[in-house]
Amino acid sequence: MLSGRTFGNKVISGSCGDVSVNDNPVISAGSEIGGFSIDSYHVSTEFDARLEFHYGMPDGSTCKHSNQCSSKGTTIYNKQCGGAKTVKVVYPKDKGSKKKRCGVKIHTISFDCNKHKTTTVKSTPPATK
């Protein structure tokens, strides 16, 4: 495994909403790479919130997991969605919150270069056209 990728004083940042929002932050591999496996990433949020992470898999399915995230920072571990082509950060609709969007910052990303197979646990079927 490579050590964590830091961005110095910079961060990857954006604002995420529910799954229907088209401008949610997305991490993706270039076409020359194909898939990748993120082992973990450290994120902080505008306010404490449960975020979802939607991994676009090579077969067109979506592997998802959620995690409670803190404004002080949280490390997210990817234990089920190796080999993804993309990762989309989603702030799902929360009946208890009036906020529709949540600011998110990604401070570090650790890639697992030893994972050579893809996994699809908790997948949803590909969208039909």
Side-chain angles (χ1 to χ4, degrees):
M1 177 170 35
L2 294 175
S3 62
R5 170 75 176 140
T6 62
F7 310 108
N9 292 334
K10 299 178 182 179
V11 296
I12 298 170
S13 64
S15 177
C16 55
D18 69 28
V19 72
S20 67
V21 175
N22 290 327
D23 64 348
N24 286 356
V26 175
I27 301 168
S28 64
S31 59
E32 68 280 359
I33 294 172
F36 61 93
S37 286
I38 292 178
D39 182 57
S40 64
Y41 32 102
H42 188 80
V43 302
S44 61
T45 49
E46 176 184 356
F47 50 88
D48 294 353
R50 178 162 287 280
L51 297 181
E52 291 181 355
F53 301 88
H54 294 200
Y55 296 79
M57 304 307 290
D59 67 358
S61 66
T62 301
C63 180
K64 302 176 187 177
H65 71 87
S66 67
N67 207 94
Q68 186 64 32
C69 298
S70 168
S71 60
K72 295 178 181 170
T74 303
T75 300
I76 309 298
Y77 295 95
N78 174 20
K79 296 184 181 195
Q80 64 188 35
C81 304
K85 294 177 81 64
T86 63
V87 181
K88 181 177 185 178
V89 183
V90 175
Y91 175 56
K93 291 182 181 177
D94 180 356
K95 294 177 186 175
S97 176
K98 294 180 182 179
K99 299 203 179 235
K100 293 185 181 197
R101 297 190 66 81
C102 178
V104 63
K105 294 179 181 176
I106 301 172
H107 302 274
T108 61
I109 301 173
S110 294
F111 294 92
D112 187 346
C113 297
N114 295 320
K115 290 185 180 178
H116 299 290
K117 64 180 185 174
T118 62
T119 57
T120 53
V121 177
K122 294 185 181 179
S123 295
T124 57
T128 56
K129 293 183 179 180

